[in-house]
Each structure stands twice: as structure tokens, then as C-alpha cells.
Amino acid sequence: MPKPSSQPFCASSIIGTGSYMPEKVMTNDDLSKFVDTSDEWITTRTGIKARRIAAENQATSDLASEAARRAMEAAGITAEDINLIVVATVTPDMFFPSTACIVQKKIGAANAVCFDISAACSGFLYALQVARHFINTGNRTTALVIGAEKLSSLINWQDRNTCVLFGDGAGAVVIRRAEESEDAPGRVLSTVMGSDGNLTDLLKVPGGASACPITPENVLSRPNTIHMEGRETFKHAVTRMCQAAEQALEIAGLTKEDISMVIPHQANARIITAIADRLGLPPEKTFMNLDQYGNTSAATIPVALDEAHRQGKIKKGDIVLLVAFGGGFTWASSV
């Protein structure tokens, strides 16, 4: 991987976090009633015990809007203060308009510029970096960055290799321009992003868009559901996430010893353990909640960040490392 170029200092801080998880809980035992699997099989291979499933009448924008409201409440701002909304998702309400525009309507953020980002599980960190650039150029002062997914809408419930992994949920942060001299908590110090389009076939939803529209002839093969080569995805995820984490620390002028907490993408407990081992971090410095929620793609990091904050596991002055990997392949990290 080429060494990233140096980045200008971006004076932007996370001033509020929020998350929303649907009420319905689907446990591994629930899954075993209609899929050839078991709690032991799922837990030993993934670390997942349960996941949340959105109601039929809940769209991704509904999850995102509730997470946004909670983040705004935590930040002490109103919808009128928001002048940028970026939603990271691979499960938008519809192809267009963007889910961000639908969120704008639902929360009443009339002053915001709105658009979506599609980078799969890395989407939230991509969106965070895009929002930082808007703030850094002076075009926007207060941004709402959301990762939200209704992955249950893309799941083939007969494929036990994928249906056990995913769930629904949303997380959000409010970021605001901070003066360089301010002692602002939550300051974003660095962000690294990368992609490798040569590996697009390893993790994808092949059907439902322009390359493969759903037709009467192909509908029974379920091309509009998640397809994944698990072993290859695992290998690349660990390698790229570790590289991205080390690069983000280097750009921020920090070392592994400075890390107070790493919040990784919640895809698989084995991946998280492998990353912690390679970075030399003890278990207590690695946040994990995938046992409760499974993989919620772009929502995993903002949900975990919000929970770590509200549970008191991170506090002012701590160095927090965020790192993700997703289909594309894409990867990203932020300190």
C-alpha cells in the first residue's frame, strides 16, 4: 500500500453522538428455527449472539433520523443549526432521492446540504472525512454524519453463511468547526481511506441495479441479496485495517501506546481479536458490541462510538482509534 500524503490540519470536533437500534431482537436460537444453524455454530465462528431487525414499516431513513435526533440532543443543538447532512448507507430508502434528503425532511434541517455516500462498512468514516473537508474549507460549520442500514432487506434468509452475520441500526455524530486554539474534546486528528476495486466480486449485492436488474427470469436466484466469500474477505479485512490504523496514528503523530480505545468495525469477533493482537492492544482497549447487534455495516462504528461514550469507556483527553473495512473493497481509519 502506498504511503498516504500528508493532510492539512482539519479543525473539526465531534460534539455529540447518538444511536438507534430497532426494538425487535433476533437471537441465534431464533435463526435456528428456520435455518440449518445453531447458537454454538454462529457464536464460535463470529461472536454474534443476536441482532436487531427493523419493523416492516421502518426504512433506513427512520433509523437514521432517530439516531440524528439523539446526536443533536447530546450536542445541544437544533435542526436549524445543521448545514450539512451526509448519510453513509448501502441500503437507502430508494435509489433517489438520497436518504440524506429524506432525513433532512424528517428532522426539519432546512438549512442543510444533503447527500449519501456508498462505501459499505467503511462508509461512516468516508462520510466523516468528507464532512471534515467541507468544514475545513469554511463552506459549512456544523455537520450531521450518519451511518444507517436496514441490511435485513438484503439478506437471503436461506443462506446460513450470510444471514447470521447482519442486522439493522443507525449511529450519528455532530461535528462542528473548532478554532485551532480551542481545547475542544472530540477533535478529529487524522483520517485514512483506501480502496481496491479489483476485489469487488468477493463481497457484493450483484442484482437490483443497472448491471443486473431484477427480472422474472432471475428473481428466484435472489441476486439482490448479499453474496460474500468469507475467507478471502477475512484475510483482506485484517491486513487493510491494521495498515490503515497504523497510518492514521502516524499522520496524527501518535503511536500504538497512545491509544486509549480502538473502536473497530463490528463484523466478526475473530477479525477484531486479530487486529488487537497485531496492534498489541489488550482486550480492555478494544470496544466490542457485535454480540448484541451483529454487523450493521456503516452503522457499526457510530453506534459503538455512541455506546462507548455513554457507558463512560471513553472520556475527554482519550485517544480513540476508529477503523473499518467493507465491500469494494474499501477501508478507512480515524484518530
Side-chain angles (χ1 to χ4, degrees):
M1 179 187 293
K3 187 174 180 179
S5 59
S6 60
Q7 295 173 275
F9 179 81
C10 295
S12 45
S13 294
I14 296 173
I15 63 169
T17 66
S19 60
Y20 172 76
M21 307 305 289
E23 292 183 9
K24 182 179 178 180
V25 178
M26 181 179 287
T27 67
N28 292 344
D29 288 333
D30 292 332
L31 274 173
S32 68
K33 295 174 183 176
F34 58 89
V35 180
D36 181 18
T37 190
S38 67
D39 176 64
E40 193 230 352
W41 190 90
I42 299 169
T43 302
T44 56
R45 287 164 176 78
T46 69
I48 299 168
K49 300 291 289 184
R51 68 285 297 146
R52 299 295 181 93
I53 304 297
E56 288 187 11
N57 63 350
Q58 280 185 309
T60 295
S61 64
D62 294 313
L63 311 183
S65 296
E66 186 56 37
R69 293 185 188 101
R70 296 178 182 187
M72 289 189 296
E73 181 181 4
I77 65 168
T78 67
E80 288 74 20
D81 297 319
I82 299 291
N83 47 36
L84 174 66
I85 300 174
V86 187
V87 174
T89 186
V90 293
T91 54
D93 285 23
M94 55 192 81
F95 283 134
F96 67 89
S98 70
T99 299
C101 283
I102 300 172
V103 170
Q104 177 190 35
K105 176 183 177 181
K106 289 182 175 180
I107 67 174
N111 300 319
V113 170
C114 309
F115 56 89
D116 292 353
I117 282 181
S118 176
C121 304
S122 306
F124 173 77
L125 292 183
Y126 271 55
L128 184 67
Q129 176 69 335
V130 169
R132 286 181 70 211
H133 280 302
F134 272 87
I135 288 173
N136 196 38
T137 59
N139 288 329
R140 303 285 145 179
T141 59
T142 307
L144 190 57
V145 181
I146 307 169
E149 305 285 9
K150 188 178 179 180
L151 290 172
S152 59
S153 64
L154 297 181
I155 291 174
N156 178 353
W157 293 105
Q158 281 70 55
D159 179 8
R160 74 167 188 170
N161 292 315
T162 57
C163 75
V164 304
L165 301 175
F166 300 102
D168 304 333
V173 301
V174 175
I175 69 169
R176 173 169 277 179
R177 184 186 306 152
E179 296 300 326
E180 193 164 345
S181 59
E182 288 182 16
D183 182 23
R187 177 163 292 177
V188 183
L189 303 178
S190 65
T191 299
V192 166
M193 301 185 295
S195 307
D196 186 351
N198 292 313
L199 302 172
T200 53
D201 286 337
L202 297 182
L203 178 56
K204 62 184 180 180
V205 176
S210 62
C212 179
I214 301 302
T215 66
E217 291 73 30
N218 68 17
V219 66
L220 293 179
S221 65
R222 306 292 302 277
N224 60 328
T225 58
I226 298 169
H227 293 61
M228 181 175 69
E229 298 294 333
R231 185 170 296 179
E232 283 298 304
T233 299
F234 181 104
K235 180 178 68 176
H236 289 286
V238 173
T239 299
R240 294 302 194 181
M241 287 170 74
C242 287
Q243 290 173 340
E246 290 169 348
Q247 289 173 353
L249 286 168
E250 181 181 355
I251 292 170
L254 300 168
T255 67
K256 300 172 187 178
E257 289 71 28
D258 296 312
I259 298 174
S260 304
M261 181 69 69
V262 58
I263 299 179
H265 170 50
Q266 306 288 306
N268 184 300
R270 292 179 176 180
I271 292 176
I272 294 174
T273 299
I275 292 167
D277 287 345
R278 291 198 187 185
L279 293 176
L281 297 174
E284 61 269 20
K285 285 192 173 185
T286 305
F287 189 86
M288 195 182 308
N289 63 3
L290 89 162
D291 59 317
Q292 306 169 60
Y293 306 134
N295 182 349
T296 56
S297 189
T300 68
I301 285 182
V303 169
L305 180 64
D306 181 51
E307 291 197 345
H309 175 222
R310 292 176 188 269
Q311 293 170 13
K313 294 186 177 179
I314 54 176
K315 59 187 184 300
K316 182 178 179 180
D318 283 352
I319 301 297
V320 181
L321 170 66
L322 315 175
V323 60
F325 179 88
F329 278 151
T330 63
W331 56 89
S333 61
S334 185
V335 176

